[in-house]
């Protein structure tokens, strides 16, 4: 059984969510993001949506804030905790994109 590293897992998140996140703020999706750059993108989208007057965008911003926190914690946590933190981040990312779309 192959073991995924943090970089592999963040690459998978990048593949799944970067295009949708960029679309929420009307920009082209950056490619091949490092884990910290992916978190920066999540935070950028969070900040843009938070300034919106739309309740759904503000709700999505809250999910993105939670996702960014879990992603940041996953970078520094022991390997055993990373799976749980990344799963929580994925859930918040999915919820944010669904809410804002």
């Amino acid at each position: 059984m192959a073991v995924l590293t943090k970089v592999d897992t963040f690459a998978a998140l990048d593949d799944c969510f970067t295009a949708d996140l960029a679309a929420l703020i009307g920009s082209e999706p950056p490619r091949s993001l490092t884990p910290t750059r992916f978190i920066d993108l999540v935070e950028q989208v969070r900040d843009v949506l938070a300034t919106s007057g739309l309740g759904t965008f503000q709700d999505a911003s809250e999910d993105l804030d939670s996702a960014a926190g879990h992603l940041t914690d996953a970078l520094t946590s022991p390997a055993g905790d990373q799976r749980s933190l990344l799963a929580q981040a994925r859930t918040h990312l999915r919820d944010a994109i669904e809410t804002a779309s």
Side-chain angles (χ1 to χ4, degrees):
M1 179 178 191
V3 176
L4 290 177
T5 66
K6 278 187 267 192
V7 173
D8 294 334
T9 305
F10 275 87
L13 292 172
D14 175 16
D15 288 342
C16 290
F17 297 108
T18 296
D20 290 333
L21 289 169
L24 289 175
I25 58 172
S27 70
E28 290 293 317
R31 293 308 320 149
S32 302
L33 297 177
T34 64
T36 54
R37 295 232 4 195
F38 181 74
I39 295 169
D40 289 344
L41 174 63
V42 172
E43 291 173 338
Q44 177 187 8
V45 176
R46 174 202 64 199
D47 294 346
V48 169
L49 296 181
T51 61
S52 168
L54 297 174
T56 55
F57 281 2
Q58 291 172 343
D59 291 344
S61 175
E62 291 174 17
D63 274 320
L64 291 174
D65 187 55
S66 295
H70 293 307
L71 292 167
T72 301
D73 291 345
L75 283 178
T76 58
S77 68
D81 296 337
Q82 290 171 4
R83 176 175 281 167
S84 169
L85 290 165
L86 292 169
Q88 292 174 45
R90 276 191 308 272
T91 298
H92 287 291
L93 289 165
R94 250 190 324 265
D95 290 348
I97 291 167
E98 281 182 28
T99 300
S101 295

